[in-house]
C-alpha cells in the first residue's frame, strides 16, 4: 500500500474566526509547485519538486489521482495534449496510460545510466519538469501527482495536489518575524493571548493590548494558532513568512458562547469545487500522444501521416498482440517506443 502525503486544498483567505483547522497537522515533506510561462507561440507548465523527506525521488507523475486510481489529463475538447515535454538532465519523459486509453499522466523517470546514482536527494529542490501546450489549460495546474522513491518497497510513494510555486516550502529558507494583534468580535484587544506557530511550536510574546511578536520563524508557509480562556481557539493558515522580514497577521477570536462559527466557510468547500472542476458529462475523446525532448524537437510528429487516434502505448519490453484470425476491423496503432528522432509503430 502506498505511503501517501496528501495536503488539503488551500481555503479562501478570510479572517481567523473559526475553531476549525484550515490545514492538516503536518507539512508535506514532498511537494510539487507549478508555474506557467509563454515562450513564443508555446504555453509551458513548469513543475518544481521540493524534497524535504529522507528519500531519494526517482519517478514523478503529474496528473494521476492515487485515491481514485485514474489518470486526470485528457485531449478531449477543450483540452489539448502536449506535443513536447522537457526534462532536467538525467530524466526521461513519456505519457503514462492506465486502463482508460482516453486519459493519460505525464511521467518522468531517471534515464538508464542514472538509475543507481541519480534522482532528487533529500533537502533538494529540482525544477525544469515541463510540458508544452498550444494554449493555457487549468488541468495542468490543478491536478494531483504521485512520486516514487528509491528503496526496497517499490510500491511506496508520496502523493498530493499541485500548488503554486510561491506556496512551496523552501529548503534552508532563513528566518523571519511575525507580528500582529489578537482581538475579539468587537475589535477590542484580548489580554495576553497565547499564540504560537503550529508544528514548529514557536511561542509568541503577547501584551495586554493583544499585540504579539514571534521571532526566528523559518521562512515559508506557516500556520498560526491563538488560544486564550473564554474564547474558541482558532488557526490562521497559509501565512507566508519571508526571510529577514516581518509579516503582520491580525487574528480575531470568538467568544465560546457565541454562534459565530455558524457562518464560517465550509472547510471542504474548496475540495468540492476542485472536484466539480474536474467533472464533466462530455465523453472524452482519445488523446493524441506526444514525445519528450531534452531540447526543442523540430521534427513533426508523424500523426500527420499515421492515424494515431486510439493508439495504445507499450513499454519497450512489450510487443503488440497478434491479430485474431478472421478479424476484419480496422488496424489499431501500437506505439512501442518514443525518442527524439524515431517512433516505433
Amino acid at each position: 500500500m502506498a505511503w501517501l502525503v496528501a495536503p488539503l486544498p488551500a481555503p479562501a483567505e478570510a479572517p481567523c474566526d473559526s475553531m476549525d483547522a484550515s490545514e492538516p497537522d503536518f507539512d508535506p515533506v514532498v511537494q510539487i509547485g507549478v508555474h506557467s510561462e509563454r515562450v513564443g507561440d508555446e504555453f509551458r507548465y513548469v513543475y518544481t519538486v521540493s524534497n524535504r523527506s529522507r528519500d531519494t525521488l526517482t519517478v514523478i507523475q503529474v496528473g494521476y489521482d492515487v485515491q481514485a486510481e485514474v489518470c486526470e489529463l485528457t485531449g478531449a475538447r477543450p483540452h489539448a495534449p502536449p506535443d513536447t515535454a522537457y526534462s532536467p538532465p538525467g530524466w526521461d519523459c513519456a505519457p503514462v496510460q492506465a486502463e482508460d486509453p482516453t486519459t493519460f499522466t505525464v511521467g518522468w523517470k531517471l534515464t538508464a545510466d542514472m538509475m543507481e546514482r541519480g534522482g532528487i536527494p533529500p533537502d533538494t529542490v529540482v525544477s525544469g519538469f515541463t510540458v508544452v501546450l498550444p494554449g493555457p489549460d487549468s488541468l495542468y495546474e490543478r491536478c494531483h501527482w504521485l512520486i516514487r522513491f528509491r528503496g526496497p518497497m517499490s510500491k511506496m510513494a508520496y502523493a498530493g495536489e499541485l500548488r503554486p510555486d510561491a506556496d512551496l516550502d523552501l529548503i534552508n529558507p532563513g528566518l523571519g518575524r511575525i507580528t500582529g494583534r489578537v482581538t475579539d468580535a468587537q475589535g477590542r484587544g484580548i489580554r495576553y493571548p497565547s499564540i504560537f506557530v503550529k508544528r514548529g511550536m514557536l511561542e509568541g510574546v503577547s501584551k495586554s493590548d493583544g499585540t504579539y511578536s514571534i521571532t526566528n520563524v523559518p521562512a515559508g508557509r506557516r500556520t498560526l494558532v491563538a488560544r486564550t480562556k473564554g474564547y474558541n481557539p482558532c488557526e490562521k493558515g497559509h501565512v507566508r513568512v519571508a526571510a529577514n522580514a516581518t509579516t503582520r497577521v491580525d487574528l480575531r477570536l470568538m467568544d465560546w458562547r457565541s454562534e459565530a462559527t455558524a457562518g464560517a466557510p465550509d472547510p471542504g468547500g474548496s475540495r468540492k469545487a476542485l472536484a466539480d472542476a474536474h467533472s464533466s458529462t462530455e465523453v472524452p475523446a482519445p488523446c493524441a500522444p506526444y514525445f519528450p525532448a531534452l531540447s526543442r524537437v523540430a521534427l513533426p510528429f508523424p500523426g500527420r501521416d499515421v492515424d494515431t487516434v486510439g493508439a495504445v502505448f507499450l513499454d519497450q519490453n512489450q510487443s503488440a498482440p497478434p491479430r485474431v484470425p478472421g478479424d476484419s476491423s480496422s488496424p489499431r496503432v501500437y506505439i512501442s517506443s518514443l525518442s527524439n528522432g524515431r517512433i516505433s509503430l
Side-chain angles (χ1 to χ4, degrees):
M1 182 172 180
W3 173 22
L4 305 179
V5 182
L8 295 176
E13 192 70 15
C16 180
D17 56 5
S18 171
M19 64 182 298
D20 294 323
S22 61
E23 293 181 326
D25 288 337
F26 55 84
D27 278 328
V29 294
V30 176
Q31 303 168 1
I32 298 185
V34 59
H35 74 271
S36 60
E37 55 188 41
R38 183 175 291 278
V39 180
D41 59 349
E42 300 176 347
F43 199 90
R44 302 183 180 185
Y45 285 96
V46 183
Y47 302 99
T48 300
V49 180
S50 174
N51 181 19
R52 295 188 293 114
S53 74
R54 298 180 180 180
D55 304 301
T56 297
L57 312 181
T58 57
V59 175
I60 299 168
Q61 294 182 1
V62 172
Y64 184 75
D65 186 344
V66 70
Q67 292 184 335
E69 296 184 345
V70 296
C71 299
E72 299 176 300
L73 306 180
T74 178
R77 294 182 179 180
H79 307 290
D83 62 351
T84 304
Y86 300 122
S87 307
W91 294 80
D92 277 339
C93 181
V96 179
Q97 288 180 294
E99 295 180 359
D100 182 358
T102 67
T103 60
F104 63 97
T105 295
V106 181
W108 285 270
K109 61 181 180 180
L110 293 172
T111 57
D113 60 325
M114 296 291 289
M115 285 300 296
E116 297 300 326
R117 56 188 178 87
I120 303 177
D123 296 326
T124 303
V125 175
V126 174
S127 189
F129 301 96
T130 306
V131 295
V132 180
L133 295 170
D137 190 337
S138 62
L139 279 180
Y140 290 82
E141 58 185 347
R142 295 172 62 88
C143 58
H144 297 78
W145 53 262
L146 175 74
I147 291 182
R148 301 194 186 280
F149 51 90
R150 182 179 294 124
M153 303 180 67
S154 60
K155 294 185 179 298
M156 298 288 282
Y158 294 97
E161 296 180 45
L162 293 174
R163 61 179 64 190
D165 274 355
D167 286 345
L168 285 177
D169 285 336
L170 304 178
I171 306 297
N172 299 323
L175 302 176
R177 181 169 174 253
I178 303 176
T179 62
R181 188 166 182 249
V182 180
T183 61
D184 60 16
Q186 288 71 42
R188 297 171 299 199
I190 296 176
R191 293 172 57 84
Y192 303 108
S194 173
I195 183 166
F196 58 90
V197 178
K198 193 175 182 180
R199 292 175 292 276
M201 299 304 293
L202 292 170
E203 190 171 358
V205 176
S206 60
K207 298 181 179 180
S208 59
D209 61 354
T211 58
Y212 72 92
S213 176
I214 309 176
T215 58
N216 297 324
V217 181
R221 188 182 64 174
R222 303 295 166 219
T223 298
L224 294 181
V225 179
R227 303 176 187 273
T228 195
K229 185 177 180 180
Y231 294 86
N232 287 325
C234 74
E235 299 184 4
K236 179 67 172 177
H238 307 283
V239 175
R240 298 301 304 180
V241 179
N244 304 315
T246 298
T247 301
R248 182 178 177 89
V249 180
D250 294 327
L251 301 103
R252 185 171 70 236
L253 300 184
M254 309 303 290
D255 190 296
W256 66 272
R257 292 166 295 186
S258 71
E259 297 180 355
T261 59
D266 178 12
S270 56
R271 181 182 293 276
K272 183 178 185 299
L274 183 64
D276 292 343
H278 285 290
S279 64
S280 173
T281 57
E282 180 183 359
V283 178
C287 66
Y290 69 99
F291 60 98
L294 296 179
S295 59
R296 179 64 179 173
V297 178
L299 297 176
F301 187 74
R304 302 175 184 176
D305 305 315
V306 179
D307 182 7
T308 59
V309 174
V312 176
F313 288 98
L314 301 175
D315 291 335
Q316 293 184 0
N317 58 353
Q318 288 182 302
S319 58
R323 192 175 185 84
V324 178
D327 184 0
S328 59
S329 62
S330 300
R332 188 169 192 180
V333 177
Y334 291 87
I335 300 179
S336 59
S337 65
L338 305 175
S339 68
N340 292 357
R342 181 180 65 186
I343 297 178
S344 300
L345 301 175

